[in-house]
């Protein structure tokens, strides 16, 4: 459970970073998808490994199933932060 919470939080953070780096919405969403798919599962696993010290044979599944959660969350977060940024600018 900790892996999913950390991965979701990291994905939201990566979406925020992508929305701050890019002016275009589509580019922010694409970068958030790439960062969410590549970094969020790895950072989630690193956190679990560091906190619990437990490594499991099923950790490889996190890299297969993790992006199914992290990519949509990062994309939605990037889109939301872009919309929030644009509405605050008006």
């Amino acid at each position: 459970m900790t892996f999913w919470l950390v991965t979701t939080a990291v994905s939201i953070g990566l979406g925020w970073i992508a929305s701050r780096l890019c002016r275009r919405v589509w580019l922010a969403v694409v970068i958030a998808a790439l960062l969410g798919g590549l970094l969020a599962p790895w950072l989630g696993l690193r956190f679990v490994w560091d906190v619990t010290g437990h490594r499991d044979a099923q950790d490889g599944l996190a890299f297969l199933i993790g992006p199914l959660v992290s990519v949509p969350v990062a994309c939605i977060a990037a889109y939301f932060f872009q919309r929030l940024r644009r509405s605050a600018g008006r």
Side-chain angles (χ1 to χ4, degrees):
M1 184 68 181
T2 305
F3 167 76
W4 297 110
L5 294 174
V6 171
T7 301
T8 302
V10 168
S11 297
I12 291 170
L14 292 173
W16 179 77
I17 289 170
S19 72
R20 300 301 295 167
L21 291 176
C22 304
R23 291 190 177 270
R24 303 257 183 215
V25 176
W26 67 269
L27 186 59
V29 170
V30 168
I31 289 176
L34 290 173
L35 290 174
L38 297 174
L39 287 180
W42 181 75
L43 290 173
L45 270 179
R46 290 293 304 177
F47 179 80
V48 171
W49 289 341
D50 290 344
V51 169
T52 64
H54 179 72
R55 293 190 179 199
D56 197 317
Q58 295 178 352
D59 287 344
L61 290 175
F63 289 106
L64 296 175
I65 299 171
L68 294 176
V69 172
S70 63
V71 170
V73 168
C75 291
I76 291 169
Y79 183 76
F80 170 75
F81 286 124
Q82 279 284 347
R83 297 289 293 181
L84 190 66
R85 184 173 157 189
R86 288 210 174 142
S87 67
R90 289 184 184 177

